[in-house]
Amino acid sequence: MTRSTEPVIDVTDLRKRYGRVDALAGLTMAVQPGEIFGFLGPNGAGKTTTVKLLLGLARPSGGRGTLLGEPLGDREARRRVGYLPELFRFQPWLRAREVLALHADLIGLPGADRARRFEDSLGLVGLADRAGSAVGTFSKGMQQRLGLGVALLGEPALVILDEPTSALDPIGRIDVRAILRTARERGAAIFLNSHLLSEVEQVCDRVAIVDRGRVVAEGTLAAVLGAQETRVRCEAVDPAGLASLAAFGPLRVEGRELVFVDLLEPRVPDLVAALVDLGVRIQAVVSGRESLERRFLELVGHPPPEAPT
Amino acid sequence: MITIARLTIGEAARRRILWVLVILAAIAVGITGWGVDRLVTLARENGTAEFQIQFGVSQILIFIAFQFTFVLAMTAAFLGSPAIASDLESGIALALLARPLRRTSYLLGRWLGLAVVLVAYGGGSALLAILVVGRVSGYTPPSVLMPIVYLSAEGLVVLTLSLLLSTRLPPIGAGAIAVVAFGLSWMAGAIERVGLAITASNPGVNLEIVGQVGRALLPTDGLWRGVVYGLEPGIVIAAASGQPLAEANPFFAASPPTVGFLAWAVTWVLLVTLLAAFSLRRREL
Ligand SMILES: Nc1ncnc2c1ncn2[C@@H]1O[C@H](COP(=O)(O)OP(=O)(O)OP(=O)(O)O)[C@@H](O)[C@H]1O
Ligand SMILES: [Mg+2]
């Protein structure tokens, strides 16, 4: 597979209205080849709508975009895209193996060693022993596994997964992460819709957070997650004391906490010593990233719950 | 398109629809053959004239065909109406149409697959019925092929209509509307023929327009006339044509459908298919 540097998904000011609902209100984002891109947002944010517009399953009300360099919904571009819909079914009367064969026909997968490829696909998603069972007899999670196998069929350049683990057990979720990493290794880009922060946190190279049809933050995990913070819970410090702490970088006061941004870990003991010198009594010092969850709540406009005191 | 057609036929076979249809057809033909055999045997024992027997058998065939067009229309409606609607409802369409598959190809594949099933069932049972009746009674219609072709065409018309409805309506709704439309078309044709009889004695009353409009909207009734015409013995046609009361009979046709009408029927199927393709392409998933 040739790796181009052109984005696999590139949309600008994408809009979609359903009656009076603005499902997408000017969405702009780009997904690069070979990356796992997390698309995060609360229920009704417009994640599924975005995917449907990308694949031409629904028409945008405004804006423009490209998928693998072609206009949205382009037929040839879709040949190189694997898609696992959010709410879907396969023909219940088909056997698992036949579902794969149907999709292989639709993308024009060459006939040689197809049977082996189907067995491989089913093995990958843990359905090797159910290849001959009718899909109608599958549990919800098994259907989702099969859907993942179908989405990865034929080594697509872009894999779009809409909440791929919603029906999966914990083992299944771990499997999915491994499968996604393997797909990335062979050069595929993966677009992962989710509202599960932990899932995104563990596999995604970059994320976009979408809320009410707009991207409210996009970037690497570190950038979106927010900066490294050092929180010191202590007694109130007078303004003169605060001024003397300027050497430890940007500082803000949050209730009973002093928050230092991007303070390097080795300097934390110095900070503690300085505070002690000022006669400040310290209760706790916590260093770390703002949690994704907290950041998420901030971004989508819910105030984070008060930290327990 | 071929992939979808094959899938559709496979579905009919796998879901046992095909086999149920085959068994039903076999039963229907069996009963018909047995019934006609009894009647003809009795009539011959009573010394009824052979020409009367032939006339009677042709009438029985027409009545059976009449029953059968309803069965076939219902089959077409109930095969066609869920074909697209239930894929859209269940989310099967999401996975299919995200593939490099044109929506028009998907629609045509559905049409083709169901058409094969329908024609195999309708045409097959009709042929079998005619052959069996011919064997037990000695009466074979002047043309075996014509009524079968017209009968199948009727089924295809209803199928096309149901597929159009299926792109927008839920399965049950689409099926019900298609069956009702078929019934109305038949009624419009019947009214027209009564109209013809009345007009003969009362010029000025003009009910023909009802039939013409009905035939234009849904060409099933016009095709039904072709089935009837094809099943009648020549002497009946010669004797009855031109007589107002005979002309009014929905089970009698003095002439085959005109070329103009047949051209319209073909155009109608193409137009409705085009409309269905347009409707499906506009549809948001
Ligand atoms: N077919 C539709 N008709 C009308 N409104 C719709 C339709 N599809 C989506 N919407 C609306 O668009 C908005 C975005 O929906 P969407 O399905 O994209 O959300 P989502 O981010 O995928 O949510 P979830 O996490 O629950 O899957 C919602 O307000 C929804 O009600
Ligand atoms: Mg969704």
Side-chain angles (χ1 to χ4, degrees):
Chain A
M1 182 176 302
T2 52
R3 277 208 198 190
S4 74
T5 49
E6 191 182 25
V8 289
I9 296 175
D10 192 0
V11 298
T12 311
D13 198 29
L14 205 57
R15 290 167 188 276
K16 179 67 187 174
R17 281 186 78 83
Y18 284 113
R20 310 168 113 238
V21 180
D22 266 319
L24 291 184
L27 184 109
T28 300
M29 67 169 170
V31 177
Q32 306 304 326
E35 73 177 350
I36 302 185
F37 188 88
F39 199 53
L40 264 172
N43 293 137
K47 303 183 294 293
T48 300
T49 304
T50 304
V51 168
K52 286 183 177 176
L53 296 187
L54 289 176
L55 290 165
L57 296 171
R59 277 183 310 280
S61 325
R64 63 209 140 77
T66 59
L67 183 75
L68 296 173
E70 306 293 337
L72 295 187
D74 179 80
R75 210 163 63 86
E76 282 314 306
R78 276 187 280 149
R79 195 180 296 283
R80 293 181 288 141
V81 178
Y83 168 46
L84 170 65
E86 179 180 26
L87 298 172
F88 76 106
R89 252 184 20 174
F90 289 125
Q91 292 75 357
W93 48 275
L94 281 181
R95 303 190 174 98
R97 188 188 291 124
E98 293 166 339
V99 170
L100 287 163
L102 168 65
H103 284 260
D105 283 346
L106 290 175
I107 54 179
L109 208 63
D113 74 346
R114 269 169 47 138
R116 190 190 50 75
R117 279 171 98 149
F118 298 162
E119 301 307 315
D120 286 354
S121 288
L122 290 171
L124 191 68
V125 295
L127 291 173
D129 52 340
R130 298 300 294 266
S133 310
V135 175
T137 67
F138 278 16
S139 72
K140 179 90 185 60
M142 288 162 70
Q143 289 223 26
Q144 204 164 35
R145 283 165 180 269
L146 178 60
L148 187 63
V150 169
L152 292 167
L153 191 68
E155 313 210 323
L158 170 64
V159 185
I160 296 180
L161 306 173
D162 198 347
E163 316 233 352
T165 59
S166 58
L168 295 190
D169 55 32
I171 301 170
R173 293 182 181 198
I174 295 170
D175 288 349
V176 168
R177 289 202 282 274
I179 291 170
L180 297 189
R181 291 197 184 99
T182 313
R184 174 178 56 188
E185 270 162 36
R186 76 165 167 78
I190 293 157
F191 184 86
L192 177 66
N193 260 7
S194 182
H195 51 229
L196 294 176
L197 303 167
S198 54
E199 181 170 289
V200 166
E201 199 168 18
Q202 291 181 53
V203 287
C204 291
D205 304 310
R206 284 198 318 128
V207 298
I209 293 183
V210 59
D211 183 39
R212 279 164 265 170
R214 269 195 196 84
V215 172
V216 292
E218 181 183 354
T220 61
L221 267 178
V224 173
L225 285 180
Q228 169 94 15
E229 286 180 345
T230 306
R231 297 180 164 262
V232 182
R233 192 180 311 157
C234 57
E235 294 170 342
V237 182
D238 58 52
L242 285 180
S244 72
L245 296 171
F248 295 97
L251 158 67
R252 65 176 193 272
V253 182
E254 272 182 18
R256 286 157 30 96
E257 290 182 348
L258 301 178
V259 184
F260 295 84
V261 181
D262 281 337
L263 180 68
L264 297 176
E265 299 250 339
R267 298 205 57 206
V268 172
D270 298 342
L271 172 64
V272 172
L275 284 167
V276 171
D277 283 348
L278 285 172
V280 176
R281 287 158 61 86
I282 299 172
Q283 276 146 348
V285 179
V286 180
S287 198
R289 283 194 190 288
E290 194 177 9
S291 83
L292 183 55
E293 207 130 351
R294 196 183 168 86
R295 180 82 180 123
F296 184 76
L297 291 175
E298 270 174 28
L299 285 167
V300 302
H302 300 275
E306 280 294 308
T309 48
Chain B
M1 176 175 128
I2 299 298
T3 305
I4 300 296
R6 250 192 300 142
L7 181 75
T8 305
I9 297 171
E11 174 173 14
R14 189 71 65 81
R15 300 190 113 172
R16 304 198 186 86
I17 296 169
L18 213 55
W19 310 126
V20 171
L21 290 180
V22 166
I23 291 168
L24 285 179
I27 293 174
V29 169
I31 293 177
T32 307
W34 179 78
V36 170
D37 183 43
R38 296 297 311 143
L39 281 173
V40 171
T41 312
L42 279 175
R44 290 210 174 109
E45 278 167 6
N46 293 339
T48 313
E50 196 59 22
F51 122 84
Q52 279 181 330
I53 292 178
Q54 298 234 334
F55 174 71
V57 172
S58 78
Q59 286 301 297
I60 292 173
L61 262 184
I62 290 172
F63 271 106
I64 293 170
F66 174 66
Q67 300 288 331
F68 189 64
T69 62
F70 264 92
V71 173
L72 196 64
M74 300 266 267
T75 309
F78 288 110
L79 285 177
S81 55
I84 291 170
S86 76
D87 276 8
L88 293 173
E89 258 177 15
S90 64
I92 287 177
L94 283 181
L96 280 183
L97 295 177
R99 291 302 185 189
L101 169 68
R102 285 198 187 89
R103 292 197 186 183
T104 307
S105 309
Y106 167 72
L107 174 79
L108 294 180
R110 280 305 213 186
W111 191 91
L112 191 63
L114 292 176
V116 168
V117 171
L118 201 65
V119 169
Y121 166 62
S125 336
L127 178 65
L128 209 61
I130 290 175
L131 291 182
V132 167
V133 168
R135 196 170 168 90
V136 298
S137 73
Y139 174 71
T140 312
S143 157
V144 175
L145 196 61
M146 192 157 94
I148 293 176
V149 170
Y150 283 122
L151 198 67
S152 306
E154 257 189 278
L156 294 182
V157 165
V158 177
L159 173 67
T160 310
L161 176 67
S162 341
L163 279 178
L164 167 66
L165 296 170
S166 182
T167 61
R168 291 284 157 169
L169 298 176
I172 304 285
I177 292 177
V179 170
V180 168
F182 173 79
L184 286 179
S185 160
W186 189 83
M187 259 157 63
I191 291 174
E192 175 197 32
R193 284 185 286 275
V194 172
L196 280 174
I198 298 175
T199 318
S201 44
N202 302 302
V205 183
N206 192 346
L207 289 175
E208 282 172 62
I209 187 76
V210 177
Q212 282 157 0
V213 170
R215 255 201 307 275
L217 290 179
L218 189 71
T220 44
D221 183 63
L223 295 167
W224 162 242
R225 316 278 295 151
V227 178
V228 175
Y229 183 80
L231 290 175
E232 289 163 338
I235 36 168
V236 173
I237 297 172
S241 55
Q243 299 185 18
L245 277 179
E247 298 269 15
N249 182 351
F251 302 107
F252 171 75
S255 55
T258 61
V259 174
F261 171 75
L262 291 181
W264 167 243
V266 172
T267 313
W268 186 94
V269 168
L270 291 178
L271 281 180
V272 172
T273 306
L274 217 62
L275 196 62
F278 179 75
S279 161
L280 185 61
R281 286 175 55 167
R282 302 287 306 170
R283 172 91 194 229
E284 308 234 27
L285 299 186

Short mmCIF file of all heavy atoms in Angstrom, two decimals, chain A residues 120-167:
data_model
loop_
_atom_site.label_atom_id
_atom_site.label_comp_id
_atom_site.label_asym_id
_atom_site.label_seq_id
_atom_site.Cartn_x
_atom_site.Cartn_y
_atom_site.Cartn_z
N ASP A 120 -9.45 -16.51 7.87
CA ASP A 120 -8.56 -15.63 8.63
C ASP A 120 -9.35 -14.51 9.30
O ASP A 120 -9.17 -14.21 10.48
CB ASP A 120 -7.50 -15.00 7.71
CG ASP A 120 -6.44 -16.01 7.32
OD1 ASP A 120 -6.48 -17.13 7.87
OD2 ASP A 120 -5.59 -15.68 6.47
N SER A 121 -10.23 -13.89 8.50
CA SER A 121 -11.03 -12.78 9.03
C SER A 121 -11.84 -13.24 10.22
O SER A 121 -11.91 -12.55 11.25
CB SER A 121 -12.02 -12.28 7.98
OG SER A 121 -11.36 -11.58 6.99
N LEU A 122 -12.47 -14.40 10.08
CA LEU A 122 -13.32 -14.89 11.16
C LEU A 122 -12.48 -15.24 12.38
O LEU A 122 -12.89 -15.00 13.52
CB LEU A 122 -14.14 -16.09 10.69
CG LEU A 122 -15.22 -15.73 9.67
CD1 LEU A 122 -15.84 -16.98 9.08
CD2 LEU A 122 -16.31 -14.88 10.33
N GLY A 123 -11.27 -15.78 12.13
CA GLY A 123 -10.39 -16.11 13.23
C GLY A 123 -9.98 -14.85 13.99
O GLY A 123 -9.98 -14.81 15.22
N LEU A 124 -9.69 -13.82 13.24
CA LEU A 124 -9.26 -12.54 13.81
C LEU A 124 -10.28 -12.01 14.81
O LEU A 124 -9.93 -11.48 15.86
CB LEU A 124 -9.08 -11.54 12.67
CG LEU A 124 -8.40 -10.22 12.99
CD1 LEU A 124 -6.95 -10.46 13.33
CD2 LEU A 124 -8.53 -9.27 11.80
N VAL A 125 -11.56 -12.15 14.47
CA VAL A 125 -12.59 -11.58 15.34
C VAL A 125 -13.20 -12.65 16.26
O VAL A 125 -14.22 -12.42 16.89
CB VAL A 125 -13.70 -10.88 14.53
CG1 VAL A 125 -13.13 -9.67 13.81
CG2 VAL A 125 -14.35 -11.83 13.55
N GLY A 126 -12.53 -13.81 16.30
CA GLY A 126 -12.94 -14.83 17.27
C GLY A 126 -14.19 -15.59 16.90
O GLY A 126 -14.93 -16.06 17.76
N LEU A 127 -14.45 -15.73 15.59
CA LEU A 127 -15.64 -16.46 15.18
C LEU A 127 -15.29 -17.68 14.33
O LEU A 127 -16.13 -18.19 13.60
CB LEU A 127 -16.57 -15.55 14.37
CG LEU A 127 -17.27 -14.42 15.13
CD1 LEU A 127 -18.01 -13.52 14.15
CD2 LEU A 127 -18.23 -14.98 16.16
N ALA A 128 -14.04 -18.13 14.44
CA ALA A 128 -13.57 -19.20 13.57
C ALA A 128 -14.49 -20.41 13.61
O ALA A 128 -14.78 -21.03 12.59
CB ALA A 128 -12.15 -19.60 13.95
N ASP A 129 -14.99 -20.73 14.79
CA ASP A 129 -15.80 -21.95 14.89
C ASP A 129 -17.26 -21.72 14.54
O ASP A 129 -18.06 -22.64 14.62
CB ASP A 129 -15.67 -22.53 16.30
CG ASP A 129 -15.96 -21.50 17.36
OD1 ASP A 129 -15.89 -20.29 17.03
OD2 ASP A 129 -16.27 -21.87 18.50
N ARG A 130 -17.62 -20.49 14.13
CA ARG A 130 -19.00 -20.23 13.78
C ARG A 130 -19.17 -19.86 12.31
O ARG A 130 -20.19 -19.31 11.93
CB ARG A 130 -19.57 -19.11 14.65
CG ARG A 130 -19.59 -19.42 16.13
CD ARG A 130 -20.43 -20.65 16.46
NE ARG A 130 -21.85 -20.43 16.17
CZ ARG A 130 -22.73 -20.02 17.06
NH1 ARG A 130 -22.35 -19.79 18.29
NH2 ARG A 130 -23.99 -19.85 16.73
N ALA A 131 -18.14 -20.15 11.51
CA ALA A 131 -18.17 -19.75 10.10
C ALA A 131 -19.41 -20.23 9.38
O ALA A 131 -19.93 -19.58 8.49
CB ALA A 131 -16.92 -20.26 9.40
N GLY A 132 -19.91 -21.40 9.79
CA GLY A 132 -21.03 -21.98 9.07
C GLY A 132 -22.38 -21.72 9.71
O GLY A 132 -23.39 -22.25 9.26
N SER A 133 -22.41 -20.89 10.76
CA SER A 133 -23.70 -20.62 11.42
C SER A 133 -24.41 -19.46 10.75
O SER A 133 -23.77 -18.52 10.28
CB SER A 133 -23.50 -20.25 12.88
OG SER A 133 -22.69 -21.18 13.52
N ALA A 134 -25.72 -19.54 10.74
CA ALA A 134 -26.50 -18.43 10.19
C ALA A 134 -26.37 -17.22 11.11
O ALA A 134 -26.35 -17.35 12.33
CB ALA A 134 -27.96 -18.83 10.06
N VAL A 135 -26.27 -16.04 10.50
CA VAL A 135 -26.09 -14.82 11.27
C VAL A 135 -27.27 -14.58 12.22
O VAL A 135 -27.11 -14.02 13.29
CB VAL A 135 -25.92 -13.63 10.31
CG1 VAL A 135 -25.85 -12.33 11.07
CG2 VAL A 135 -24.69 -13.81 9.45
N GLY A 136 -28.43 -15.04 11.78
CA GLY A 136 -29.62 -14.88 12.62
C GLY A 136 -29.50 -15.54 13.99
O GLY A 136 -30.20 -15.17 14.92
N THR A 137 -28.58 -16.50 14.11
CA THR A 137 -28.43 -17.19 15.39
C THR A 137 -27.36 -16.53 16.25
O THR A 137 -27.09 -17.00 17.35
CB THR A 137 -28.04 -18.67 15.18
OG1 THR A 137 -26.72 -18.69 14.60
CG2 THR A 137 -28.99 -19.37 14.23
N PHE A 138 -26.74 -15.45 15.75
CA PHE A 138 -25.65 -14.81 16.48
C PHE A 138 -26.17 -13.90 17.57
O PHE A 138 -27.21 -13.25 17.41
CB PHE A 138 -24.79 -13.98 15.52
CG PHE A 138 -23.77 -14.78 14.76
CD1 PHE A 138 -23.87 -16.15 14.68
CD2 PHE A 138 -22.73 -14.14 14.11
CE1 PHE A 138 -22.94 -16.89 13.98
CE2 PHE A 138 -21.78 -14.87 13.40
CZ PHE A 138 -21.90 -16.25 13.34
N SER A 139 -25.41 -13.80 18.64
CA SER A 139 -25.72 -12.81 19.67
C SER A 139 -25.31 -11.43 19.15
O SER A 139 -24.61 -11.32 18.14
CB SER A 139 -24.96 -13.13 20.95
OG SER A 139 -23.59 -12.83 20.76
N LYS A 140 -25.74 -10.40 19.87
CA LYS A 140 -25.44 -9.04 19.43
C LYS A 140 -23.93 -8.81 19.30
O LYS A 140 -23.46 -8.25 18.32
CB LYS A 140 -26.04 -8.06 20.45
CG LYS A 140 -25.80 -6.61 20.17
CD LYS A 140 -26.91 -6.03 19.31
CE LYS A 140 -26.62 -4.60 18.91
NZ LYS A 140 -25.39 -4.42 18.14
N GLY A 141 -23.20 -9.29 20.30
CA GLY A 141 -21.76 -9.10 20.26
C GLY A 141 -21.10 -9.88 19.13
O GLY A 141 -20.16 -9.41 18.51
N MET A 142 -21.64 -11.07 18.85
CA MET A 142 -21.08 -11.85 17.75
C MET A 142 -21.33 -11.16 16.42
O MET A 142 -20.49 -11.16 15.53
CB MET A 142 -21.68 -13.26 17.76
CG MET A 142 -21.17 -14.11 18.91
SD MET A 142 -22.21 -15.53 19.24
CE MET A 142 -21.88 -16.53 17.81
N GLN A 143 -22.52 -10.55 16.29
CA GLN A 143 -22.80 -9.80 15.06
C GLN A 143 -21.82 -8.65 14.92
O GLN A 143 -21.34 -8.36 13.82
CB GLN A 143 -24.22 -9.23 15.09
CG GLN A 143 -25.28 -10.27 14.94
CD GLN A 143 -26.39 -9.82 14.00
OE1 GLN A 143 -26.20 -8.99 13.13
NE2 GLN A 143 -27.56 -10.38 14.17
N GLN A 144 -21.53 -8.00 16.05
CA GLN A 144 -20.61 -6.87 15.97
C GLN A 144 -19.21 -7.34 15.61
O GLN A 144 -18.51 -6.69 14.83
CB GLN A 144 -20.60 -6.13 17.31
CG GLN A 144 -20.17 -4.68 17.16
CD GLN A 144 -20.53 -3.86 18.37
OE1 GLN A 144 -20.50 -4.35 19.49
NE2 GLN A 144 -20.86 -2.61 18.15
N ARG A 145 -18.83 -8.48 16.14
CA ARG A 145 -17.53 -9.05 15.76
C ARG A 145 -17.48 -9.34 14.26
O ARG A 145 -16.51 -9.02 13.58
CB ARG A 145 -17.27 -10.34 16.53
CG ARG A 145 -16.85 -10.12 17.97
CD ARG A 145 -16.98 -11.42 18.74
NE ARG A 145 -16.60 -11.26 20.12
CZ ARG A 145 -15.36 -11.44 20.59
NH1 ARG A 145 -14.41 -11.83 19.76
NH2 ARG A 145 -15.09 -11.26 21.85
N LEU A 146 -18.53 -9.95 13.78
CA LEU A 146 -18.59 -10.25 12.34
C LEU A 146 -18.51 -8.94 11.55
O LEU A 146 -17.81 -8.85 10.54
CB LEU A 146 -19.88 -11.01 12.02
CG LEU A 146 -20.08 -11.34 10.55
CD1 LEU A 146 -18.95 -12.22 10.03
CD2 LEU A 146 -21.42 -12.05 10.33
N GLY A 147 -19.23 -7.93 12.04
CA GLY A 147 -19.21 -6.63 11.37
C GLY A 147 -17.79 -6.08 11.29
O GLY A 147 -17.40 -5.50 10.27
N LEU A 148 -17.03 -6.28 12.35
CA LEU A 148 -15.64 -5.81 12.35
C LEU A 148 -14.84 -6.58 11.31
O LEU A 148 -14.05 -6.01 10.55
CB LEU A 148 -15.06 -5.99 13.75
CG LEU A 148 -13.68 -5.41 13.99
CD1 LEU A 148 -13.71 -3.91 13.83
CD2 LEU A 148 -13.18 -5.78 15.38
N GLY A 149 -15.06 -7.90 11.26
CA GLY A 149 -14.37 -8.71 10.26
C GLY A 149 -14.70 -8.24 8.85
O GLY A 149 -13.82 -8.15 7.99
N VAL A 150 -15.96 -7.93 8.62
CA VAL A 150 -16.40 -7.46 7.31
C VAL A 150 -15.76 -6.11 7.00
O VAL A 150 -15.32 -5.85 5.88
CB VAL A 150 -17.94 -7.38 7.24
CG1 VAL A 150 -18.39 -6.65 5.99
CG2 VAL A 150 -18.55 -8.77 7.28
N ALA A 151 -15.69 -5.24 8.01
CA ALA A 151 -15.12 -3.90 7.78
C ALA A 151 -13.64 -3.98 7.43
O ALA A 151 -13.12 -3.14 6.71
CB ALA A 151 -15.32 -3.03 9.01
N LEU A 152 -12.96 -5.01 7.94
CA LEU A 152 -11.51 -5.11 7.69
C LEU A 152 -11.20 -5.94 6.44
O LEU A 152 -10.04 -6.08 6.06
CB LEU A 152 -10.82 -5.75 8.90
CG LEU A 152 -10.83 -4.88 10.16
CD1 LEU A 152 -10.42 -5.69 11.38
CD2 LEU A 152 -9.91 -3.68 9.98
N LEU A 153 -12.25 -6.46 5.79
CA LEU A 153 -12.06 -7.33 4.63
C LEU A 153 -11.37 -6.58 3.49
O LEU A 153 -11.73 -5.45 3.18
CB LEU A 153 -13.43 -7.82 4.18
CG LEU A 153 -13.46 -8.95 3.16
CD1 LEU A 153 -12.95 -10.22 3.80
CD2 LEU A 153 -14.89 -9.15 2.68
N GLY A 154 -10.41 -7.22 2.87
CA GLY A 154 -9.76 -6.64 1.69
C GLY A 154 -8.77 -5.54 2.03
O GLY A 154 -8.43 -4.74 1.16
N GLU A 155 -8.31 -5.47 3.27
CA GLU A 155 -7.31 -4.49 3.67
C GLU A 155 -7.63 -3.09 3.19
O GLU A 155 -6.89 -2.50 2.41
CB GLU A 155 -5.93 -4.92 3.15
CG GLU A 155 -5.64 -6.37 3.43
CD GLU A 155 -4.16 -6.63 3.63
OE1 GLU A 155 -3.34 -6.00 2.94
OE2 GLU A 155 -3.82 -7.47 4.49
N PRO A 156 -8.72 -2.51 3.65
CA PRO A 156 -9.08 -1.16 3.20
C PRO A 156 -8.09 -0.11 3.71
O PRO A 156 -7.45 -0.31 4.75
CB PRO A 156 -10.46 -0.94 3.84
CG PRO A 156 -10.51 -1.88 4.99
CD PRO A 156 -9.67 -3.06 4.63
N ALA A 157 -7.97 0.97 2.94
CA ALA A 157 -7.07 2.05 3.33
C ALA A 157 -7.61 2.82 4.51
O ALA A 157 -6.87 3.43 5.27
CB ALA A 157 -6.85 2.99 2.15
N LEU A 158 -8.95 2.79 4.64
CA LEU A 158 -9.59 3.51 5.74
C LEU A 158 -10.66 2.61 6.33
O LEU A 158 -11.44 1.99 5.60
CB LEU A 158 -10.23 4.81 5.21
CG LEU A 158 -11.14 5.56 6.18
CD1 LEU A 158 -10.36 6.07 7.37
CD2 LEU A 158 -11.83 6.72 5.47
N VAL A 159 -10.66 2.51 7.64
CA VAL A 159 -11.67 1.71 8.33
C VAL A 159 -12.48 2.65 9.21
O VAL A 159 -11.91 3.37 10.05
CB VAL A 159 -11.02 0.63 9.21
CG1 VAL A 159 -12.08 -0.27 9.81
CG2 VAL A 159 -10.03 -0.20 8.40
N ILE A 160 -13.77 2.68 9.00
CA ILE A 160 -14.63 3.56 9.80
C ILE A 160 -15.46 2.69 10.73
O ILE A 160 -16.22 1.84 10.28
CB ILE A 160 -15.55 4.39 8.88
CG1 ILE A 160 -14.70 5.31 8.01
CG2 ILE A 160 -16.54 5.19 9.70
CD1 ILE A 160 -15.50 6.19 7.06
N LEU A 161 -15.29 2.89 12.01
CA LEU A 161 -15.98 2.05 12.99
C LEU A 161 -16.87 2.94 13.86
O LEU A 161 -16.39 3.85 14.52
CB LEU A 161 -14.96 1.32 13.86
CG LEU A 161 -13.91 0.50 13.11
CD1 LEU A 161 -12.85 -0.03 14.06
CD2 LEU A 161 -14.57 -0.65 12.35
N ASP A 162 -18.16 2.66 13.83
CA ASP A 162 -19.09 3.46 14.62
C ASP A 162 -19.43 2.69 15.89
O ASP A 162 -20.22 1.75 15.85
CB ASP A 162 -20.34 3.77 13.79
CG ASP A 162 -21.14 4.93 14.36
OD1 ASP A 162 -20.86 5.32 15.51
OD2 ASP A 162 -22.03 5.43 13.66
N GLU A 163 -18.82 3.06 16.98
CA GLU A 163 -19.00 2.39 18.27
C GLU A 163 -18.83 0.87 18.15
O GLU A 163 -19.77 0.12 18.39
CB GLU A 163 -20.39 2.70 18.83
CG GLU A 163 -20.73 4.16 18.67
CD GLU A 163 -21.14 4.83 19.96
OE1 GLU A 163 -21.32 4.13 20.96
OE2 GLU A 163 -21.25 6.06 19.95
N PRO A 164 -17.62 0.44 17.79
CA PRO A 164 -17.41 -0.98 17.48
C PRO A 164 -17.51 -1.88 18.70
O PRO A 164 -17.66 -3.08 18.55
CB PRO A 164 -16.00 -1.01 16.90
CG PRO A 164 -15.33 0.17 17.49
CD PRO A 164 -16.38 1.23 17.64
N THR A 165 -17.41 -1.33 19.88
CA THR A 165 -17.37 -2.21 21.06
C THR A 165 -18.62 -2.10 21.92
O THR A 165 -18.66 -2.61 23.02
CB THR A 165 -16.15 -1.89 21.93
OG1 THR A 165 -16.25 -0.52 22.35
CG2 THR A 165 -14.86 -2.08 21.17
N SER A 166 -19.67 -1.45 21.37
CA SER A 166 -20.83 -1.19 22.21
C SER A 166 -21.45 -2.48 22.75
O SER A 166 -22.03 -2.49 23.81
CB SER A 166 -21.87 -0.38 21.45
OG SER A 166 -22.26 -1.07 20.29
N ALA A 167 -21.31 -3.59 22.00
CA ALA A 167 -21.93 -4.83 22.46
C ALA A 167 -20.90 -5.86 22.94
O ALA A 167 -21.23 -7.00 23.18
CB ALA A 167 -22.78 -5.44 21.36
#
